[in-house]
């Protein structure tokens, strides 16, 4: 039997770089919120111990794909814990809607959905804390998707505090370029010393993204897109880009702006949600995607 699981997008409602570490990585403060929009992961259980990807990605060997790596990491952990059912395996697929390199967390979300869904389907019984630890080995953003609640993140993004930001509507737009994360973090002009502030202060300030100035400087299409959206609503870069988002109080307001968009703007409208659609599906509060 094939099951379908939500793999939602995320937005960084704000992102501030608070320092550079000795290892070259950066410390940050950011606010994650999920969208009721994203990819779909399909899972069909096998009884022969095989894990395979039925939707291979051109140019990415299956062994390097985060979906396969997540499944095998869970399998190894459950095997060591003695909770992996005999012959447990899976055919895994992904229906991609989120752009690569867009700052929406697509790959991290895919990995987290596989960890959470297979833990449920295989009945391996790993705790959320352990799944988040496994997720961190796959990527800094994976734990927030594993935990499934909007969160204030510090450190490199791995120190999470659940929060309840307003669930607004967003027009999310892609400028048609992909921004490699190192391009942003290696730029000498990146702001790196934004003061560390408590979440209570940050939630009451105007939100911003320290990476935005670099994305606009180096990618003309990002600058054009933000310039257009800012005429209609508060708009920002998400993550290190390339996607940008404009925030609205109602779905109709967001759709009206999307309808007026120039032909070169490719976007969608979605609602920010504080509980991940994946976790709503797991708990039975919502249909699978």
């Amino acid at each position: 039997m094939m099951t379908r699981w939500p793999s939602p997008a995320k937005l960084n409602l704000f992102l501030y770089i608070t320092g550079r570490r000795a290892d070259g990585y950066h410390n940050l403060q950011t606010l994650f919120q999920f969208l009721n929009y994203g990819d779909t992961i399909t899972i069909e259980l096998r009884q022969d111990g095989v894990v395979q990807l039925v939707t291979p990605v051109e140019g990415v060997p299956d062994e390097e794909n985060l979906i396969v790596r997540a499944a095998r990491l869970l399998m190894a952990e459950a095997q060591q814990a003695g909770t992996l059912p005999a012959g447990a395996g899976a055919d895994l697929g992904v229906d991609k809607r989120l752009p690569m390199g867009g700052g929406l967390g697509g790959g991290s979300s895919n990995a987290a959905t596989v960890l959470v869904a297979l833990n449920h389907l295989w009945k391996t019984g790993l705790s959320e804390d352990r799944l988040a630890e496994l997720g961190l080995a796959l990527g800094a953003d994976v734990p927030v998707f594993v935990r499934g609640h909007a969160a204030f993140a510090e450190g490199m993004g791995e120190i999470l505090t659940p929060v309840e930001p307003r669930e607004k509507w967003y027009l999310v737009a892609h400028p048609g370029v992909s921004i490699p994360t190192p391009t942003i973090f290696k730029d000498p002009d990146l702001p790196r010393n934004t003061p560390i502030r408590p979440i209570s202060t940050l939630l009451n300030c105007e939100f911003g993204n320290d990476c935005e100035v670099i994305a606009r400087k180096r990618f003309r299409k990002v600058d054009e897109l933000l310039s257009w959206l800012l005429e209609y609503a508060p708009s920002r870069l998400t993550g290190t880009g390339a996607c940008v988002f404009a925030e609205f109080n109602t779905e109709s307001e967001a759709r009206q702006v999307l309808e007026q968009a120039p032909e070169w703007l490719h976007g969608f409208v979605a609602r920010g949600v504080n509980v991940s659609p994946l976790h709503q599906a797991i708990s039975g509060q919502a249909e699978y995607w």
Side-chain angles (χ1 to χ4, degrees):
M1 176 185 173
M2 181 182 289
T3 56
R4 296 168 60 82
W5 299 89
S7 183
K10 60 80 178 169
L11 293 179
N12 296 82
L13 298 185
F14 60 67
L15 195 163
Y16 305 113
I17 312 298
T18 58
R20 193 169 197 168
R21 299 153 51 106
D23 59 10
Y25 288 96
H26 292 76
N27 286 323
L28 53 84
Q29 292 187 306
T30 190
L31 178 60
F32 289 111
Q33 189 179 54
F34 306 104
L35 296 177
N36 63 350
Y37 180 95
D39 299 335
T40 300
I41 298 291
T42 59
I43 301 177
E44 188 165 3
L45 297 184
R46 301 172 61 114
Q47 306 301 322
D48 58 2
V50 172
V51 168
Q52 69 175 5
L53 185 64
V54 298
T55 53
V57 179
E58 188 176 344
V60 180
D62 286 359
E63 301 302 313
E64 296 177 16
N65 191 294
L66 277 175
I67 292 171
V68 174
R69 289 175 59 200
R72 292 188 175 155
L73 194 60
L74 177 70
M75 182 180 277
E77 180 72 15
Q79 214 160 21
Q80 190 172 354
T83 59
L84 186 72
D91 286 336
L92 305 169
V94 58
D95 179 11
K96 290 294 292 183
R97 291 203 288 177
L98 300 176
M100 302 284 283
L104 298 175
S108 295
S109 182
N110 293 168
T113 291
V114 168
L115 288 173
V116 171
L118 280 180
N119 187 54
H120 175 77
L121 293 169
W122 282 341
K123 297 180 171 58
T124 49
L126 297 186
S127 68
E128 183 181 282
D129 286 346
R130 187 58 189 140
L131 290 176
E133 289 174 5
L134 295 177
L136 187 58
L138 297 168
D141 286 352
V142 178
V144 73
F145 287 104
V146 167
R147 295 193 181 278
H149 199 283
F152 174 54
E154 299 178 280
M156 289 192 299
E158 80 283 8
I159 304 169
L160 300 172
T161 303
V163 290
E164 298 280 346
R166 289 181 59 192
E167 295 182 327
K168 292 194 170 188
W169 285 89
Y170 300 100
L171 192 172
V172 182
H174 193 280
V177 297
S178 178
I179 300 182
T181 299
T183 299
I184 300 295
F185 281 115
K186 289 179 180 178
D187 193 293
D189 294 330
L190 177 70
R192 291 182 167 89
N193 295 299
T194 298
I196 295 173
R197 291 166 286 176
I199 182 60
S200 57
T201 299
L202 289 168
L203 287 173
N204 288 297
C205 294
E206 183 178 349
F207 292 174
N209 183 336
D210 284 342
C211 300
E212 188 176 298
V213 63
I214 306 303
R216 295 187 79 162
K217 177 186 77 170
R218 302 190 64 154
F219 296 88
R220 181 179 53 82
K221 289 186 177 179
V222 173
D223 184 59
E224 288 178 359
L225 185 52
L226 270 168
S227 295
W228 189 85
L229 285 173
L230 282 164
E231 293 183 18
Y232 296 92
S235 306
R236 293 181 296 288
L237 190 76
T238 180
T240 56
C243 285
V244 303
F245 63 96
E247 63 180 50
F248 300 88
N249 291 321
T250 67
E251 180 180 9
S252 62
E253 289 174 334
R255 294 203 179 278
Q256 282 173 15
V257 173
L258 183 57
E259 287 169 7
Q260 299 174 54
E263 287 186 5
W264 51 264
L265 187 153
H266 301 285
F268 61 87
V269 170
R271 186 169 193 177
V273 291
N274 292 333
V275 177
S276 165
L278 170 63
H279 290 69
Q280 293 181 39
I282 286 281
S283 65
Q285 296 174 26
E287 294 293 322
Y288 296 165
W289 209 247

